[in-house]
Amino acid sequence: MPARKSNHSKPLPKPESQADSKRRLSPGSYFFHQGRSIVLASQYYSSGRLSETCKGAVAAGHHNTICVALFGQLMASFEDLSKEVVARSVDIADYLDLHIAKCDWIKISTPQVLSIRGSDVSVGTLLIGPTQGWHSAEALNNRYVSLFGGRPVPEDAIDHLNRLWIMRHTVAHNAGRVTHHDAARMAATHLSDRVLSVDAKYIADTFLFLRPIAESMVQMAHDRYLSQFLSTLDDHETLSTRQFFLWESIKHLGLFLDSRSKRLPLYDMQEFRADSDRYRQKRELLSTEVPSRRNTAPKKRSLP
């Protein structure tokens, strides 16, 4: 009779890394983690690290090739964030369901559904992951307005973000060489048929430009979800563990940890109650202000 296999032979699951935890729970914090890593990588192969015999035009060309590739990764990280904020919101609760159903930019096919068989892909990732059209500041604003009620890209940043997307297209599809069409779209005809010149400073500046937009995205989703969730709680209701975990997911969604070494905070029931009390006090304050404003309004005079 064959010996029974021991359950102890199965390898223990590896502990989740900080990066994986942020990727799963906090899209904004993960974007900072990725973006900062890309900035550091671009600065790593500087001329100061090279010997005198290795410096020159050839080394400069190699460094530009590395930075061009890293620039493409940075823009890919930003696109991933744009999607993940929406996908994570869909996974947390059903507050967006009616709005998601009306989005004509979300299209799901049978092969996409079949592709997740046996995987742990979430509903939000299945819906939002394959979507296209994110390489436009206007499209990003329109989608976030319809879902979260705000525009993450300010008016004075739209043109520059669209230019970055054209550069990303050049990197992804033309190995960094600017076509005549893309040069015209960027209003930079002098770049036509030339390889993009990207250095570590440009990557750092791009990350600084994208960072406030990224923070706005996660803040909009957090504010929309938190107010909607807290409004469902009864004033005299005993807060449950299930409600706590939902509240914690919303808090993590709105985080933007500005350090790769920082861990996601651990919340407790006391903080949940305090957040709920603050919302109730604010709601009560608003409810008392509205009648007082109505009472001070001038009375309509009757017709003679």
Side-chain angles (χ1 to χ4, degrees):
M1 183 175 180
R4 295 175 62 183
K5 291 184 178 180
S6 173
N7 291 332
H8 298 292
S9 62
K10 294 181 179 179
L12 295 174
K14 293 182 179 179
E16 190 175 48
S17 67
Q18 291 188 48
D20 287 340
S21 177
K22 291 174 181 177
R23 182 177 65 85
R24 184 171 57 86
L25 300 173
S26 180
S29 300
Y30 186 60
F31 170 74
F32 181 91
H33 184 99
Q34 284 186 302
R36 183 61 183 151
S37 298
I38 291 170
V39 170
L40 292 175
S42 69
Q43 297 169 348
Y44 188 80
Y45 293 101
S46 61
S47 58
R49 292 177 177 267
L50 301 176
S51 64
E52 291 299 324
T53 57
C54 293
K55 294 180 181 180
V58 174
H62 290 333
H63 189 237
N64 185 69
T65 300
I66 292 171
C67 286
V68 165
L70 289 172
F71 170 80
Q73 283 191 348
L74 180 58
M75 296 306 298
S77 298
F78 182 74
E79 179 185 2
D80 185 57
L81 169 70
S82 306
K83 295 180 179 181
E84 278 300 310
V85 172
V86 181
R88 182 69 185 140
S89 299
V90 170
D91 290 335
I92 289 175
D94 60 0
Y95 301 145
L96 288 183
D97 286 8
L98 293 178
H99 299 282
I100 290 291
K102 298 176 183 177
C103 293
D104 57 3
W105 48 273
I106 298 178
K107 295 177 174 61
I108 193 72
S109 65
T110 300
Q112 288 170 352
V113 175
L114 294 176
S115 68
I116 68 169
R117 183 190 293 116
S119 70
D120 57 355
V121 173
S122 69
V123 174
T125 301
L126 173 63
L127 283 175
I128 309 301
T131 57
Q132 299 179 351
W134 296 94
H135 301 171
S136 162
E138 294 85 356
L140 175 61
N141 275 346
N142 291 337
R143 292 175 182 184
Y144 271 66
V145 164
S146 66
L147 296 175
F148 305 115
R151 293 177 171 81
V153 187
E155 196 68 29
D156 58 357
I158 288 178
D159 288 343
H160 186 59
L161 180 56
N162 285 336
R163 180 187 176 95
L164 293 176
W165 281 127
I166 297 172
M167 291 176 60
R168 178 265 171 199
H169 178 272
T170 294
V171 172
H173 299 283
N174 302 308
R177 184 171 293 277
V178 184
T179 63
H180 296 283
H181 176 60
D182 287 342
R185 292 167 64 200
M186 290 189 289
T189 53
H190 62 285
L191 295 178
S192 180
D193 203 32
R194 295 176 60 182
V195 175
L196 287 173
S197 178
V198 179
D199 58 13
K201 183 180 184 304
Y202 191 82
I203 290 179
D205 290 343
T206 300
F207 178 57
L208 289 176
F209 168 78
L210 296 174
R211 176 176 169 173
I213 302 175
E215 290 185 80
S216 294
M217 283 193 279
V218 297
Q219 191 64 47
M220 287 174 184
H222 167 270
D223 293 349
R224 169 73 182 272
Y225 261 48
L226 187 64
S227 61
Q228 198 153 356
F229 166 65
L230 293 178
S231 67
T232 63
L233 300 180
D234 186 24
D235 292 347
H236 306 290
E237 184 178 9
T238 301
L239 302 179
S240 67
T241 303
R242 179 180 176 278
Q243 290 169 333
F244 167 76
F245 285 126
L246 177 54
W247 171 82
E248 184 181 49
S249 296
I250 297 172
K251 300 298 286 186
H252 282 153
L253 174 64
L255 281 177
F256 194 92
L257 295 181
D258 58 353
S259 171
R260 294 188 303 157
S261 60
K262 282 185 182 178
R263 295 183 178 275
L264 294 178
L266 298 176
Y267 298 103
D268 56 34
M269 204 70 172
Q270 185 176 355
E271 292 172 290
F272 178 29
R273 292 192 185 97
D275 214 8
S276 177
D277 290 341
R278 281 192 296 269
Y279 177 81
R280 289 170 182 171
Q281 292 170 2
K282 181 179 178 181
R283 185 175 59 184
E284 290 172 359
L285 181 62
L286 290 175
S287 64
T288 56
E289 285 181 352
V290 171
S292 63
R293 290 175 183 172
R294 290 175 179 172
N295 292 335
T296 57
K299 294 181 178 180
K300 292 183 179 180
R301 290 194 293 181
S302 57
L303 294 175

